[in-house]
Amino acid sequence: MNTTTPPPNFQLSIDQCWVLLDSEVVGRIALIVDGHPEVFPVNFVLQRRSIVFRTAGGTKLWGAITAKPVAFEIDGYDSHEQTAWSVVARGEAELIEDQADKDAVDELLLEPWQPGEKNYYVRLAPKALTGRRFKVNNPDVWHTRLADPRRASFE
């Protein structure tokens, strides 16, 4: 194998993307705010094939409901398989206003991590959902940062 050829990416199916989304609790919402990109970490739940998070009034809320489109991303690393993965959802965010819908989300235990009032519920129903998984390079144990998760397979 030619060492200059990058390893193949393995595209994930939509169902695989949903399974990975369901395995995480924190993701990043990417918005355009005042003409430039902003990325906000949010904890989230899945409800009816959509991503839901809570927020306070402010930049994140305003950007989420006025920025068209928005993106949401999660990623992870499987030390046993030595693979990394990434899932990206794209679509439009909307404010959930119906109390029954909010109650249904609350039943999924969407509790904000950050202190303060987080009374606004935002839903992203993806129009595009893509993901990929790829084999990571073996770490050079002597030159890899201690915090690099690839080291776990050697320790």
Side-chain angles (χ1 to χ4, degrees):
M1 181 170 150
N2 183 344
T3 58
T4 61
T5 304
N9 289 331
F10 298 101
Q11 299 303 316
L12 300 173
S13 70
I14 289 176
D15 287 337
Q16 289 171 317
C17 290
W18 283 114
V19 167
L20 288 169
L21 280 166
D22 200 32
S23 73
E24 294 295 317
V25 295
V26 174
R28 288 156 296 284
I29 186 94
L31 317 163
I32 300 298
V33 177
D34 296 330
H36 62 276
E38 291 281 347
V39 178
F40 300 93
V42 294
N43 63 303
F44 68 98
V45 296
L46 299 183
Q47 183 202 34
R48 299 188 322 238
R49 291 279 179 158
S50 65
I51 299 158
V52 179
F53 64 93
R54 290 174 57 180
T55 189
T59 303
K60 189 183 334 172
L61 173 65
W62 181 251
I65 62 176
T66 61
K68 308 291 184 205
V70 301
F72 181 85
E73 191 264 348
I74 62 167
D75 51 40
Y77 176 70
D78 181 334
S79 61
H80 178 70
E81 296 290 327
Q82 295 184 335
T83 58
W85 53 266
S86 178
V87 174
V88 176
R90 294 183 314 273
E92 295 181 4
E94 66 179 6
L95 188 62
I96 298 174
E97 299 187 72
D98 181 73
Q99 188 59 48
D101 284 342
K102 291 179 186 179
D103 293 343
V105 170
D106 287 340
E107 289 177 12
L108 298 172
L109 306 177
L110 178 60
E111 181 179 321
W113 284 13
Q114 187 178 24
E117 295 288 326
K118 309 288 187 208
N119 295 326
Y120 297 97
Y121 294 62
V122 179
R123 175 187 316 278
L124 169 60
K127 293 185 181 199
L129 185 60
T130 58
R132 66 187 188 112
R133 183 183 308 271
F134 55 92
K135 191 85 169 151
V136 298
N137 288 328
N138 288 326
D140 178 341
V141 177
W142 304 110
H143 295 101
T144 303
R145 293 179 297 156
L146 291 175
D148 190 318
R150 297 175 301 161
R151 291 179 63 98
S153 60
F154 292 97
E155 297 174 352

